[in-house]
Amino acid sequence: MNPTEPLSATERVRAAVLAMPVAQALQLRFNRVEPGDVELELPISEAFSFRPGQLQATAVFAAGDFAAVAAAGTLLAPGFANATIDATLKIVAPARGAKLRARGRVVDAGKLLTVCAAEVYAVDADEHETLCATLLGTARNVPVPA
């Protein structure tokens, strides 16, 4: 990539998310960032667990929220950013294993609001996935001051 070329939407999203202290604390990493579609992972850490080997709901919510809103961010024009204004998480199984994998997607992209969703999977050491939560969110799209 040429340093004088502007970043693509997917590169802007990746850089913005990974610059956030909470993303760093969770050791979040992206597997895929494409327009309207994101996959990310974070290790299951005792620091964020409420019992050994099982993540507390806040970390599960963060994985789903980051995935969904990052997917929404990939569709924004240069000079815009987004932020979660509403989200609902439904936990369907314990978040146990080696890591969480969250897949975010855009449901409906608008000029002011984008509806997005994510499925969060608990992944064991053998890469077997178990759906542990689903998130439906809304992100507000805002111009970034120059």
Side-chain angles (χ1 to χ4, degrees):
M1 186 177 94
N2 183 335
T4 61
E5 291 178 18
L7 295 177
S8 69
T10 57
E11 292 165 332
R12 286 191 312 269
V13 165
R14 184 186 302 266
V17 169
L18 295 179
M20 293 182 193
V22 68
Q24 294 168 16
L26 290 168
Q27 300 176 39
L28 184 145
R29 69 178 183 84
F30 286 99
N31 293 340
R32 184 180 67 250
V33 183
E34 298 173 2
D37 183 48
V38 166
E39 181 179 279
L40 57 81
E41 292 181 347
L42 57 96
I44 292 182
S45 165
E46 294 305 313
F48 301 107
S49 297
F50 79 100
R51 67 172 62 138
Q54 185 174 340
L55 282 180
Q56 196 268 343
T58 303
V60 177
F61 179 90
D65 182 53
F66 272 123
V69 177
T74 64
L75 301 182
L76 295 175
F80 277 79
N82 65 0
T84 305
I85 60 168
D86 179 64
T88 300
L89 181 76
K90 300 299 180 187
I91 295 175
V92 297
R96 287 189 283 227
K99 60 189 169 186
L100 286 187
R101 182 173 294 142
R103 295 188 184 104
R105 66 188 187 290
V106 172
V107 175
D108 183 60
K111 185 175 180 177
L112 179 64
L113 299 174
T114 299
V115 177
C116 46
E119 284 72 43
V120 182
Y121 299 88
V123 183
D124 67 19
D126 295 324
E127 291 293 312
H128 178 261
E129 295 181 346
T130 301
L131 180 67
C132 66
T134 185
L135 179 136
L136 181 63
T138 306
R140 180 171 173 132
N141 309 321
V142 295
V144 177

